[in-house]
Amino acid sequence: MNDVEVARAAAAAGAAIVRERFGAATKRIEKGGRFEFATDADIDAERRIIEILRHERPRDGVLGEESGRLHGDREGEGDRNRLWLVDPLCGTNNFAAGVPLLAVNVCLALGGRPTVAAVADPFHVETAWTDGTRAGIHRDGEPGPLRPDGGATAVDVNLEPPHPSAPFTTLAMIGDPAFQAEFQARVTATTLTLTWVAMGRRAAYVSDGDLRENMHFAAGVAICRAAGCVVTDLNGDPLPPDGHGWGLLAAADARIHAALLAVVRRLAGDRLAT
């Protein structure tokens, strides 16, 4: 299998476990913060994803949401050049509450840059993917294209704290009159909706926070880029490793990106974290 086939197979295997366990009794595993927890479904899905990655790409490094960093057969080499970023169940709170809005994210970062990726939706049986150049989607096994929609108005925002880029926060943005005049805020608590920007289901996705080796966002970022979306940090600069900024602004096209970036800059001035 080539890299994108490995990513799709791993994401699909994780999604199958998530789908099977949805609605059943699960064990909750606390992770330190008041709202931070995993479930045994997260653990089992990640274990299966890593089994596939280990079998198909034994020399590569893996960074898992639940497992942490695992080295390849050549210790350190895979982590530096080929690192798989795995978020086995993005939307754990939704999962625990019986809300079927979840994503299984698998991404290969080459030299630190998210490149090859697959994002599986366990409930619509669809997987968006990119090989680093092209992007597409498989629905019920049938391939199709991704088409961002410059006429969309719904913007998904990540409201989870902490907000290190204060005084700008996504909370401030969605209350801004200029934002409200053009866009409608949506909060779904999963990065599945980041991939929806590439699918034409969202105008944009906005998040605060540090995106370096971030397994939550990497797959969606890679897919949005390959689909032709405009993807930057909250300063309008390249994401790491090409830049050193903070946060994420992924928009369906340049017009939407410019409108949202203007709101961010007006709220934050020159005080965004760098």
Side-chain angles (χ1 to χ4, degrees):
M1 290 193 290
N2 61 32
D3 285 338
V4 72
E5 290 169 340
V6 171
R8 281 177 18 204
I17 291 174
V18 171
R19 186 166 55 250
E20 178 184 340
R21 302 284 284 281
F22 184 76
T26 56
K27 179 181 178 182
R28 178 166 166 154
I29 300 117
E30 302 298 333
K31 297 173 69 172
R34 180 182 175 189
F35 305 110
E36 289 292 319
F37 67 94
T39 71
D40 50 358
D42 297 66
I43 303 297
D44 292 345
E46 180 166 300
R47 183 180 296 118
R48 180 60 184 135
I49 291 168
I50 292 175
E51 285 176 356
I52 292 172
L53 297 179
R54 277 280 173 262
H55 181 267
E56 297 294 336
R57 297 294 185 271
R59 294 185 175 182
D60 293 358
V62 179
L63 180 60
E65 166 72 4
E66 311 305 333
S67 305
R69 186 179 291 268
L70 306 173
H71 294 287
D73 287 349
R74 296 181 179 178
E75 186 171 336
E77 180 178 321
D79 281 17
R80 184 173 63 253
N81 298 316
R82 290 176 56 90
L83 179 65
W84 292 90
L85 302 169
V86 177
D87 184 0
L89 201 171
C90 188
T92 300
N93 279 279
N94 289 345
F95 179 84
V99 178
L101 277 172
L102 311 167
V104 177
N105 297 315
V106 178
C107 180
L108 174 61
L110 299 177
R113 181 180 176 84
T115 304
V116 174
V119 175
D121 178 339
F123 303 105
H124 289 91
V125 195
E126 61 183 20
T127 301
W129 59 270
T130 178
D131 60 8
T133 303
R134 299 171 300 143
I137 189 165
H138 275 72
R139 293 188 178 95
D140 295 319
E142 294 298 319
L146 292 180
R147 295 189 181 93
D149 182 3
T153 59
V155 175
D156 230 275
V157 292
N158 179 10
L159 298 183
E160 293 184 11
H163 300 291
S165 296
F168 169 80
T169 70
T170 46
L171 286 167
M173 185 187 73
I174 63 177
D176 182 80
F179 176 90
Q180 294 175 346
E182 188 166 357
F183 301 108
Q184 300 171 303
R186 296 289 183 269
V187 181
T188 50
T190 170
T191 55
L192 177 64
T193 49
L194 170 57
T195 309
W196 283 3
V197 179
M199 295 182 186
R201 298 173 183 170
R202 288 289 188 268
Y205 183 96
V206 184
S207 179
D208 201 351
D210 190 343
L211 268 71
R212 287 171 291 189
E213 291 190 352
N214 192 309
M215 70 285 294
H216 304 293
F217 300 103
V221 164
I223 289 167
C224 282
R225 281 172 168 161
C229 302
V230 181
V231 184
T232 69
D233 70 8
L234 292 176
N235 288 299
D237 296 326
L239 300 177
D242 302 320
H244 301 88
W246 205 269
L248 170 64
L249 173 51
D253 64 13
R255 181 194 65 81
I256 293 171
H257 183 272
L260 290 171
L261 188 60
V263 173
V264 173
R265 286 174 170 167
R266 182 163 44 75
L267 291 172
D270 59 357
R271 293 170 290 179
L272 277 177
T274 56

